[in-house]
Amino acid sequence: MKILFYGSMNIDHTYEVDHIVAPGETEASSAFRKSAGGKGANQAAAFAKAAQGLGFDIFFAGKDGEDGAFIEDILKSYGIDTSFVARGEATGHAFIQLDKNGQNSIIISGGGNTSITEAEIDGVLEHFGPGDILCMNNEINLLGYLMDRAFEKGMKIVFNPSPITPALAQLPLDKCHLLVVNEIEGKTLSGAESDAYTDILSALAEKYPDCRIVLTAGSEGAYYAFREAKACCPAKDTKAVDTTCAGDTFLGYFLASDLLGMDPESCLEIAAAAAAVTVSRHGAMESVPFRSEL
C-alpha cells in the first residue's frame, strides 16, 4: 500500500502581532518568520512524523517554483518521496498574522497550487492503484478530476475540505473513504441547521453513508462516526502559542494511527495529543511532533 498526498505547498510568511489587523489599521510586527507550509505539505509531514520508522511508502505530489525547492528538501528529510512534484513558475505563498493568543489570520496566493494540469495528475496516478491512499485538501485546483481518476483506480480517498469554499458543493464527496472536517466545514457540507457537534456529525454521516467522518471541534474535542460506530475524545489542555498546522497535525496522526489498525477512539486520542503539542510551538510543519515525542 502506498500513501499519496496530493496537495498544496506554500512558503509561509508569519508576522507576530498583538491583534489581528482591522480594516484601515496598520500594526508593527514584533517578529517575522519564513518557513515551509501549505496544507498538503503539512499533512504529509505530519503523517510521516506519526509513521516514523513504521515502513509506510509515503509520496507527495504538487506543484512549486524554484523558490519552493527547500520545501521538497524538508519533506525528503522526513522520508517522503517528492519525485511527483511538478515545477511551475511560482510557489504558493501564505501571509499569516499570528496574534498574542495564538490565533491566526491567513491570506494565500495560489502559485503552482492552482495551476496543476490534468496531464500532471494522470502522470502521477499511473503509479498508484487499488488499495492505495490518496489524501487531498482544498488548496489545489482540479479536485473533482483528481477524485474521479483516483476513484476509478480503486484508491481510497481522504479529503480535508479546507479552506471552505462554495465550489466544494460540486465535488463528488460520496467517493471519499474518510472526510476530516472542523465544525465550520462540517456544518457547511452537511447543511445541518443546528450548531451542535453531534447534530453536524449525524447529518454528515447520513449524507455520506459510505464515508467515515472525523469532526474536530477545537476546545470541544473531536468526534468520529461511521454507520453504527461512534467515538469521541476531549481536547487536550495546553497553552496555545500558534494554532497554525493544528488541523493538519490531527489529520496526519489520525490517518497514520488508523492505518496501523488502532480503534477510532485511540486514533482520536493520539491525534488530539499531537495537535496539542503542535499548538504549543511556533511554525507549521516544523512544529509537528514526532511520534516518539508523545
Side-chain angles (χ1 to χ4, degrees):
M1 178 180 61
K2 302 174 184 176
I3 297 90
L4 169 65
F5 289 81
Y6 208 136
S8 56
M9 308 170 70
N10 285 333
I11 300 174
D12 287 350
H13 304 262
T14 302
Y15 302 84
E16 293 187 23
V17 293
D18 177 75
H19 58 276
I20 304 301
V21 177
E25 182 182 18
T26 299
E27 182 181 356
S29 172
S30 60
F32 168 77
R33 292 186 305 278
K34 177 181 174 182
S35 58
K39 295 193 71 63
N42 289 343
Q43 290 167 8
F47 180 90
K49 289 185 173 184
Q52 184 185 28
L54 299 178
F56 287 106
D57 292 324
I58 311 168
F59 299 83
F60 181 82
K63 196 168 189 176
D64 63 1
E66 293 288 347
D67 55 346
F70 79 101
I71 303 176
E72 297 178 47
D73 292 337
I74 294 173
L75 293 176
K76 289 174 187 176
S77 75
Y78 298 143
I80 301 170
D81 187 319
T82 63
S83 57
F84 296 125
V85 174
R87 184 54 54 86
E89 293 184 1
T91 306
H93 285 250
F95 301 89
I96 305 167
Q97 294 183 65
L98 178 67
D99 75 12
K100 62 184 178 182
N101 297 314
Q103 296 300 311
N104 59 37
S105 177
I106 305 173
I107 298 173
I108 293 175
S109 175
N113 299 322
T114 52
S115 63
I116 295 168
T117 68
E118 293 182 0
E120 288 167 350
I121 291 173
D122 292 340
V124 172
L125 293 188
E126 69 179 19
H127 299 278
F128 297 86
D132 290 338
I133 307 294
L134 169 64
C135 189
M136 309 165 52
N137 64 79
N138 194 33
E139 286 186 340
I140 61 172
N141 64 314
L142 293 180
L143 289 173
Y145 184 84
L146 179 55
M147 281 186 180
D148 287 340
R149 298 292 82 75
F151 186 80
E152 290 171 2
K153 284 182 163 289
M155 298 181 74
K156 294 181 178 180
I157 301 171
V158 178
F159 185 49
N160 171 221
S162 178
I164 199 76
T165 62
L168 288 170
Q170 307 304 317
L171 295 179
L173 299 184
D174 57 317
K175 295 179 178 179
C176 293
H177 174 73
L178 173 63
L179 193 63
V180 182
V181 299
N182 64 23
E183 64 270 33
I184 297 173
E185 295 153 2
K187 184 173 182 180
T188 300
L189 292 179
S190 68
E193 296 183 2
S194 168
D195 289 332
Y197 303 124
T198 51
D199 291 342
I200 294 171
L201 192 69
S202 296
L204 282 170
E206 181 177 351
K207 188 172 183 178
Y208 305 109
D210 296 323
C211 180
R212 304 164 70 207
I213 309 295
V214 172
L215 172 68
T216 61
S219 62
E220 299 300 317
Y223 301 82
Y224 169 91
F226 181 60
R227 295 174 183 165
E228 301 304 316
K230 300 285 191 299
C232 65
C233 82
K236 305 300 179 183
D237 188 20
T238 189
K239 177 175 174 54
V241 300
D242 187 349
T243 56
T244 305
C245 206
D248 299 331
T249 300
F250 192 101
L251 184 151
Y253 264 85
F254 183 93
L255 180 58
S257 301
D258 182 59
L259 294 179
L260 288 172
M262 297 172 66
D263 62 85
E265 185 172 355
S266 297
C267 292
L268 293 176
E269 288 280 355
I270 194 169
V277 174
T278 293
V279 301
S280 71
R281 301 169 172 176
H282 286 291
M285 66 176 69
E286 70 271 23
S287 70
V288 181
F290 285 95
R291 181 176 285 267
S292 58
E293 297 180 70
L294 301 183

